[in-house]
């Protein structure tokens, strides 16, 4: 808990009152604990999931959804994402300490105990599923529970450590919030919902492959068979371009299913920019120049955000 800073009072001699240092240290400890728990939920990932879910719900409702359903999905979905991330930190604690990118997470940094992280993750999971069950419908609830299970058991415990196809199959849970949001509003999953799901699903390959190229040595050190670790850069570049094309194709396929010209023009422009950057990365790697995969990584986030903002705008007009 972060509390308001207390007014500093001094004794007549100007010295701090006895106990002030202890109170300040206690406050700092609570702040550190709060930050550690927050870090377990990986807020950046949860934020990105909500960026896709909110416009999807707006499109499903053809405007603003029912406030109760809207709030339930935002809170329940955020807690579900946080639960999956926290449990992922618990399961991956052995490899997180070997990687530069993850060694500062609460468990490798010895800020928390594994037991505390496990209890926290399971508690968030139960609360999120219960909230969805109480305030949405059985379909959205089942999809939420399945997504947590899929990410932590099927992806983290099994696929991630055994196959370079882990990113592809792991994309299922990353794109699940889209169909969860639509199902919460309508209790159905029509073709439009699957088209939006496909955008996010295919998008994850170029997005995460770029990150895996950047941290290739980390994954190799941890023994994780990410594609850039076990395949040539030529193969990685091929898959980046392939899945970028499929992402753009999925975004265009969604257009005639019920979206308007604002979305269509946005999808074309952003898709072209995304594809050009993917080709630039591939050409740079093939030509022997310095590879800058994080440019594609950050651009991919911009792409997804702008495309789904266009979905929201079309839903409101």
């Amino acid at each position: 808990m972060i509390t308001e800073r207390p007014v500093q009072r001094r004794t007549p001699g100007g010295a701090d009152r006895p106990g002030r240092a202890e109170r300040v240290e206690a406050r700092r400890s609570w702040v550190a604990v709060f930050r550690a728990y927050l870090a377990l939920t990986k807020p950046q990932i949860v934020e990105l999931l909500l960026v896709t879910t909110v416009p999807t719900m707006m499109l499903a409702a053809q405007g603003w959804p029912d406030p109760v359903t809207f709030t339930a999905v935002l809170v329940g979905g955020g807690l579900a994402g946080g639960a999956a991330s926290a449990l992922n930190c618990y399961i991956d604690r052995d490899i997180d300490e070997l990687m530069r990118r993850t060694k500062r997470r609460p468990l490798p940094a010895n800020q928390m105990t594994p037991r505390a992280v496990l209890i926290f993750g399971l508690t968030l999971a139960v609360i999120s599923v219960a909230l969805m069950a109480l305030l949405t419908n059985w379909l959205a609830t089942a999809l939420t529970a399945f997504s947590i299970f899929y990410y932590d058991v099927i992806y983290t415990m099994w696929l991630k450590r055994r196959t370079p196809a882990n990113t592809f199959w792991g994309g299922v849970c990353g794109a699940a919030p889209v169909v969860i949001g639509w199902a919460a509003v309508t209790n159905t999953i029509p073709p439009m919902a699957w088209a939006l799901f496909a955008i996010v699903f295919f998008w994850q390959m170029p997005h995460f492959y770029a990150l895996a190229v950047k941290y290739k040595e980390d994954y190799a050190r941890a023994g994780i068979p990410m594609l850039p670790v076990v395949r040539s850069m030529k193969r990685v570049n091929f898959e980046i371009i392939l899945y970028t094309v499929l992402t753009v194709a999925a975004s265009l396929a969604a257009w005639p299913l019920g979206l308007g010209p604002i979305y269509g023009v946005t999808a074309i422009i952003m898709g072209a920019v995304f594809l050009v950057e993917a080709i630039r990365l591939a050409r740079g790697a093939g030509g022997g120049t310095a590879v800058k995969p994080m440019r594609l990584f950050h651009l991919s986030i911009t792409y997804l955000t702008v495309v789904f903002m266009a979905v929201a705008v079309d839903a409101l007009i």
Side-chain angles (χ1 to χ4, degrees):
M1 184 192 307
I2 301 177
T3 58
E4 184 179 357
R5 183 184 299 274
V7 177
Q8 296 184 11
R9 296 181 180 176
R10 297 182 178 273
T11 60
D16 289 347
R17 294 190 307 168
R20 178 179 179 276
E22 288 79 0
R23 292 196 301 274
V24 171
E25 184 60 33
R27 186 174 67 249
R28 287 176 177 170
S29 297
W30 279 107
V31 170
V33 170
F34 173 79
R35 287 177 175 172
Y37 276 108
L38 183 63
L40 288 172
T41 65
K42 303 179 185 177
Q44 298 89 344
I45 296 178
V46 173
E47 179 183 354
L48 193 59
L49 296 179
L50 297 180
V51 162
T52 59
T53 306
V54 171
T56 299
M57 295 178 68
M58 293 171 65
L59 184 62
Q62 288 299 298
W64 288 104
D66 168 69
V68 174
T69 302
F70 185 73
T71 303
V73 174
L74 285 187
V75 177
L79 291 176
S85 295
L87 293 171
N88 169 268
C89 288
Y90 171 79
I91 296 165
D92 276 352
R93 63 191 185 279
D94 59 329
I95 61 175
D96 280 350
E97 63 185 9
L98 302 176
M99 301 172 61
R100 283 183 305 154
R101 188 172 69 89
T102 56
K103 67 181 181 180
R104 294 183 180 178
R105 287 177 179 172
L107 278 174
N110 294 316
Q111 296 174 336
M112 307 181 74
T113 65
R115 182 175 181 272
V117 174
L118 177 61
I119 292 174
F120 177 64
L122 291 175
T123 301
L124 289 186
V126 171
I127 293 173
S128 66
V129 173
L131 187 63
M132 294 294 287
L134 288 172
L135 299 178
T136 62
N137 55 63
W138 70 267
L139 181 56
T141 301
L143 289 170
T144 300
F146 174 75
S147 296
I148 298 172
F149 174 82
Y150 190 102
Y151 182 71
D152 289 312
V153 177
I154 298 177
Y155 170 73
T156 303
M157 295 181 67
W158 179 34
L159 296 171
K160 182 177 181 179
R161 301 179 184 232
R162 287 172 172 78
T163 172
N166 51 23
T167 304
F168 178 86
W169 294 110
V172 172
C173 46
V178 172
V179 291
I180 291 172
W182 196 293
V185 173
T186 68
N187 202 21
T188 61
I189 310 177
M192 173 62 83
W194 287 117
L196 297 178
F197 173 92
I199 296 172
V200 184
F201 177 80
F202 290 127
W203 167 87
Q204 289 174 93
M205 267 59 78
H207 171 73
F208 193 77
Y209 285 159
L211 186 70
V213 169
K214 171 70 174 178
Y215 293 100
K216 175 181 176 179
E217 294 181 3
D218 269 7
Y219 287 114
R221 188 181 306 115
I224 302 300
M226 292 299 177
L227 192 69
V229 175
V230 299
R231 298 289 187 270
S232 66
M233 253 327 274
K234 183 178 181 180
R235 169 66 180 275
V236 175
N237 289 333
F238 170 76
E239 293 208 14
I240 286 176
I241 293 175
L242 170 64
Y243 287 114
T244 301
V245 170
L246 290 174
T247 302
V248 176
S251 72
L252 297 178
W255 186 3
L257 294 177
L259 290 163
I262 292 177
Y263 169 83
V265 172
T266 302
I268 291 171
I269 294 174
M270 291 305 300
V273 173
F274 192 17
L275 184 56
V276 166
E277 186 59 37
I279 294 172
R280 180 182 297 172
L281 174 63
R283 284 183 175 176
T289 59
V291 176
K292 298 180 179 179
M294 296 308 285
R295 283 183 50 171
L296 179 62
F297 176 82
H298 292 299
L299 177 65
S300 68
I301 297 174
T302 302
Y303 166 83
L304 195 69
T305 302
V306 173
V307 167
F308 273 84
M309 283 178 60
V311 172
V313 171
D314 262 5
L316 292 175
I317 60 175

